[in-house]
Amino acid sequence: MKRIGLLLAVALGGGFGCEASVQSRPAYATYQTAPAHQHQPARFAERWVTLGDRLSADDHRQFINLLGRGEFRAIRVEAVRGAPVINQVAIEFSDGQTQVVKMNSRIPPGAGQTIDLNGGARQINRIIVYSEPGYGGAYSVFGT
């Protein structure tokens, strides 16, 4: 009987000791508890603007008209659904020049590729994204 009482006392005492070590919040940082700059994708930290949102990669090419949208230094193509295959991106500038970037890559969801524009900040008339329709998926295009 004394043995049961001793075990019961140790169990109850140990339970109170464990309660003090339990954390009331998660050990990992969440969007609500961590500073905002630690969890934002790179496109938000550099003031990226959306130029084309959730464009389907089911077509061979997609046109994004940007007349009068301002000047940009870089373009980012980012997968938002599935893993689209982007063959190339053609950027037509207002001065008549065109910059063609061959990507030939499958972009995993949430990943992307950034294209620096030749000559710094430039006015863009339109962007043409060439994709491989057999892989599907969707992508967004951002500019900064």
Side-chain angles (χ1 to χ4, degrees), residues 48-92:
W48 291 86
V49 295
T50 303
L51 304 176
D53 193 27
R54 299 188 178 278
L55 303 171
S56 174
D58 289 334
D59 295 325
H60 285 286
R61 64 183 174 183
Q62 192 76 263
F63 295 92
I64 304 167
N65 294 316
L66 300 175
L67 293 173
R69 298 271 310 262
E71 293 185 340
F72 299 95
R73 293 185 318 271
I75 301 297
R76 179 169 174 79
V77 179
E78 186 174 301
V80 293
R81 180 179 47 83
V85 173
I86 307 297
N87 294 325
Q88 71 180 16
V89 177
I91 303 160
E92 297 177 356

Side-chain angles (χ1 to χ4, degrees), residues 7 9 16 19 24 35-36 39 43 48 51 57 71 83 93 97 103-105 111 115 117 120 140-141:
L7 290 175
F16 291 117
E19 187 175 335
S24 61
H39 289 289
R43 67 175 188 267
W48 291 86
L51 304 176
E71 293 185 340
F93 299 102
Q97 294 182 345
M103 295 174 67
N104 293 322
S105 63
I115 301 167
L117 302 182
S140 290
V141 179

Side-chain angles (χ1 to χ4, degrees):
M1 189 68 151
K2 288 182 184 181
R3 189 176 224 181
I4 294 175
L6 179 61
L7 290 175
L8 185 58
V10 170
L12 289 176
F16 291 117
C18 291
E19 187 175 335
S21 66
V22 174
Q23 295 181 355
S24 61
R25 59 183 166 78
Y28 56 89
T30 64
Y31 288 102
Q32 291 80 21
T33 60
H37 68 276
Q38 289 183 354
H39 289 289
Q40 292 180 346
R43 67 175 188 267
F44 294 120
E46 296 179 16
R47 305 260 185 225
W48 291 86
V49 295
T50 303
L51 304 176
D53 193 27
R54 299 188 178 278
L55 303 171
S56 174
D58 289 334
D59 295 325
H60 285 286
R61 64 183 174 183
Q62 192 76 263
F63 295 92
I64 304 167
N65 294 316
L66 300 175
L67 293 173
R69 298 271 310 262
E71 293 185 340
F72 299 95
R73 293 185 318 271
I75 301 297
R76 179 169 174 79
V77 179
E78 186 174 301
V80 293
R81 180 179 47 83
V85 173
I86 307 297
N87 294 325
Q88 71 180 16
V89 177
I91 303 160
E92 297 177 356
F93 299 102
S94 60
D95 62 4
Q97 294 182 345
T98 301
Q99 179 179 347
V100 178
V101 177
K102 298 210 179 275
M103 295 174 67
N104 293 322
S105 63
R106 189 169 192 175
I107 303 174
Q113 291 191 2
T114 302
I115 301 167
D116 289 324
L117 302 182
N118 295 336
R122 301 180 71 182
Q123 182 82 31
I124 298 173
N125 281 347
R126 79 176 168 179
I127 299 170
I128 307 168
V129 180
Y130 297 88
S131 59
E132 192 64 45
Y135 292 93
Y139 58 90
S140 290
V141 179
F142 304 94
T144 186

